[in-house]
PDB file of all heavy atoms in Angstrom:
ATOM      1  N   TYR A  74     -68.563  48.932   3.505  1.00  0.00           N
ATOM      2  CA  TYR A  74     -69.278  48.376   2.361  1.00  0.00           C
ATOM      3  C   TYR A  74     -70.444  47.526   2.839  1.00  0.00           C
ATOM      4  O   TYR A  74     -70.325  46.754   3.791  1.00  0.00           O
ATOM      5  CB  TYR A  74     -68.310  47.522   1.537  1.00  0.00           C
ATOM      6  CG  TYR A  74     -68.861  47.055   0.217  1.00  0.00           C
ATOM      7  CD1 TYR A  74     -68.923  47.918  -0.871  1.00  0.00           C
ATOM      8  CD2 TYR A  74     -69.314  45.751   0.044  1.00  0.00           C
ATOM      9  CE1 TYR A  74     -69.421  47.490  -2.094  1.00  0.00           C
ATOM     10  CE2 TYR A  74     -69.812  45.317  -1.175  1.00  0.00           C
ATOM     11  CZ  TYR A  74     -69.862  46.197  -2.242  1.00  0.00           C
ATOM     12  OH  TYR A  74     -70.355  45.776  -3.447  1.00  0.00           O
ATOM     13  N   ARG A  75     -71.590  47.691   2.166  1.00  0.00           N
ATOM     14  CA  ARG A  75     -72.768  46.877   2.459  1.00  0.00           C
ATOM     15  C   ARG A  75     -72.875  45.804   1.379  1.00  0.00           C
ATOM     16  O   ARG A  75     -73.029  46.115   0.209  1.00  0.00           O
ATOM     17  CB  ARG A  75     -74.041  47.725   2.485  1.00  0.00           C
ATOM     18  CG  ARG A  75     -75.295  46.935   2.805  1.00  0.00           C
ATOM     19  CD  ARG A  75     -76.539  47.802   2.837  1.00  0.00           C
ATOM     20  NE  ARG A  75     -76.578  48.881   1.863  1.00  0.00           N
ATOM     21  CZ  ARG A  75     -76.976  48.740   0.584  1.00  0.00           C
ATOM     22  NH1 ARG A  75     -77.363  47.574   0.128  1.00  0.00           N
ATOM     23  NH2 ARG A  75     -76.995  49.779  -0.229  1.00  0.00           N
ATOM     24  N   THR A  76     -72.797  44.543   1.764  1.00  0.00           N
ATOM     25  CA  THR A  76     -72.840  43.447   0.799  1.00  0.00           C
ATOM     26  C   THR A  76     -74.259  43.255   0.273  1.00  0.00           C
ATOM     27  O   THR A  76     -75.218  43.806   0.820  1.00  0.00           O
ATOM     28  CB  THR A  76     -72.369  42.122   1.442  1.00  0.00           C
ATOM     29  OG1 THR A  76     -73.338  41.724   2.421  1.00  0.00           O
ATOM     30  CG2 THR A  76     -70.991  42.258   2.078  1.00  0.00           C
ATOM     31  N   ALA A  77     -74.386  42.449  -0.751  1.00  0.00           N
ATOM     32  CA  ALA A  77     -75.703  42.129  -1.308  1.00  0.00           C
ATOM     33  C   ALA A  77     -76.571  41.397  -0.278  1.00  0.00           C
ATOM     34  O   ALA A  77     -77.790  41.406  -0.375  1.00  0.00           O
ATOM     35  CB  ALA A  77     -75.552  41.281  -2.568  1.00  0.00           C
ATOM     36  N   GLN A  78     -75.927  40.782   0.716  1.00  0.00           N
ATOM     37  CA  GLN A  78     -76.655  40.095   1.786  1.00  0.00           C
ATOM     38  C   GLN A  78     -76.958  41.039   2.947  1.00  0.00           C
ATOM     39  O   GLN A  78     -77.342  40.617   4.023  1.00  0.00           O
ATOM     40  CB  GLN A  78     -75.854  38.878   2.296  1.00  0.00           C
ATOM     41  CG  GLN A  78     -75.696  37.765   1.291  1.00  0.00           C
ATOM     42  CD  GLN A  78     -74.680  38.099   0.203  1.00  0.00           C
ATOM     43  OE1 GLN A  78     -73.679  38.779   0.448  1.00  0.00           O
ATOM     44  NE2 GLN A  78     -74.938  37.643  -1.010  1.00  0.00           N
ATOM     45  N   ASP A  79     -76.735  42.350   2.742  1.00  0.00           N
ATOM     46  CA  ASP A  79     -77.039  43.406   3.709  1.00  0.00           C
ATOM     47  C   ASP A  79     -76.168  43.338   4.968  1.00  0.00           C
ATOM     48  O   ASP A  79     -76.614  43.696   6.054  1.00  0.00           O
ATOM     49  CB  ASP A  79     -78.532  43.396   4.070  1.00  0.00           C
ATOM     50  CG  ASP A  79     -78.999  44.776   4.503  1.00  0.00           C
ATOM     51  OD1 ASP A  79     -78.404  45.776   4.051  1.00  0.00           O
ATOM     52  OD2 ASP A  79     -79.933  44.862   5.320  1.00  0.00           O
ATOM     53  N   ARG A  80     -74.913  42.887   4.806  1.00  0.00           N
ATOM     54  CA  ARG A  80     -73.947  42.908   5.916  1.00  0.00           C
ATOM     55  C   ARG A  80     -72.978  44.054   5.682  1.00  0.00           C
ATOM     56  O   ARG A  80     -72.541  44.279   4.556  1.00  0.00           O
ATOM     57  CB  ARG A  80     -73.166  41.604   6.000  1.00  0.00           C
ATOM     58  CG  ARG A  80     -73.978  40.426   6.507  1.00  0.00           C
ATOM     59  CD  ARG A  80     -73.132  39.164   6.650  1.00  0.00           C
ATOM     60  NE  ARG A  80     -72.613  38.769   5.345  1.00  0.00           N
ATOM     61  CZ  ARG A  80     -71.326  38.494   5.093  1.00  0.00           C
ATOM     62  NH1 ARG A  80     -70.424  38.555   6.034  1.00  0.00           N
ATOM     63  NH2 ARG A  80     -70.941  38.144   3.888  1.00  0.00           N
ATOM     64  N   GLU A  81     -72.643  44.772   6.742  1.00  0.00           N
ATOM     65  CA  GLU A  81     -71.652  45.836   6.627  1.00  0.00           C
ATOM     66  C   GLU A  81     -70.279  45.281   6.969  1.00  0.00           C
ATOM     67  O   GLU A  81     -70.130  44.502   7.900  1.00  0.00           O
ATOM     68  CB  GLU A  81     -71.985  46.989   7.574  1.00  0.00           C
ATOM     69  CG  GLU A  81     -73.087  47.858   7.072  1.00  0.00           C
ATOM     70  CD  GLU A  81     -73.306  49.089   7.946  1.00  0.00           C
ATOM     71  OE1 GLU A  81     -72.357  49.524   8.632  1.00  0.00           O
ATOM     72  OE2 GLU A  81     -74.430  49.599   7.930  1.00  0.00           O
ATOM     73  N   MET A  82     -69.289  45.713   6.185  1.00  0.00           N
ATOM     74  CA  MET A  82     -67.918  45.291   6.455  1.00  0.00           C
ATOM     75  C   MET A  82     -66.975  46.458   6.221  1.00  0.00           C
ATOM     76  O   MET A  82     -67.230  47.313   5.362  1.00  0.00           O
ATOM     77  CB  MET A  82     -67.528  44.090   5.597  1.00  0.00           C
ATOM     78  CG  MET A  82     -67.693  44.289   4.108  1.00  0.00           C
ATOM     79  SD  MET A  82     -67.443  42.784   3.146  1.00  0.00           S
ATOM     80  CE  MET A  82     -65.679  42.791   3.018  1.00  0.00           C
ATOM     81  N   ARG A 118     -72.982  50.587  -3.073  1.00  0.00           N
ATOM     82  CA  ARG A 118     -72.980  49.806  -1.826  1.00  0.00           C
ATOM     83  C   ARG A 118     -71.887  50.273  -0.868  1.00  0.00           C
ATOM     84  O   ARG A 118     -71.774  49.762   0.238  1.00  0.00           O
ATOM     85  CB  ARG A 118     -72.800  48.324  -2.140  1.00  0.00           C
ATOM     86  CG  ARG A 118     -74.021  47.734  -2.792  1.00  0.00           C
ATOM     87  CD  ARG A 118     -74.039  46.238  -2.680  1.00  0.00           C
ATOM     88  NE  ARG A 118     -75.189  45.722  -3.379  1.00  0.00           N
ATOM     89  CZ  ARG A 118     -75.133  44.745  -4.275  1.00  0.00           C
ATOM     90  NH1 ARG A 118     -73.981  44.176  -4.552  1.00  0.00           N
ATOM     91  NH2 ARG A 118     -76.224  44.330  -4.870  1.00  0.00           N
ATOM     92  N   LEU A 120     -70.790  52.640   1.726  1.00  0.00           N
ATOM     93  CA  LEU A 120     -71.463  53.572   2.630  1.00  0.00           C
ATOM     94  C   LEU A 120     -70.569  54.748   2.980  1.00  0.00           C
ATOM     95  O   LEU A 120     -71.052  55.857   3.204  1.00  0.00           O
ATOM     96  CB  LEU A 120     -71.906  52.837   3.898  1.00  0.00           C
ATOM     97  CG  LEU A 120     -72.796  51.611   3.657  1.00  0.00           C
ATOM     98  CD1 LEU A 120     -73.101  50.913   4.976  1.00  0.00           C
ATOM     99  CD2 LEU A 120     -74.072  52.006   2.939  1.00  0.00           C
TER     100      LEU A 120
END
Side-chain angles (χ1 to χ4, degrees):
Y74 189 78
R75 181 179 36 84
T76 68
Q78 294 75 34
D79 207 28
R80 288 183 298 129
E81 283 186 25
M82 56 188 277
R118 289 199 183 130
L120 304 176

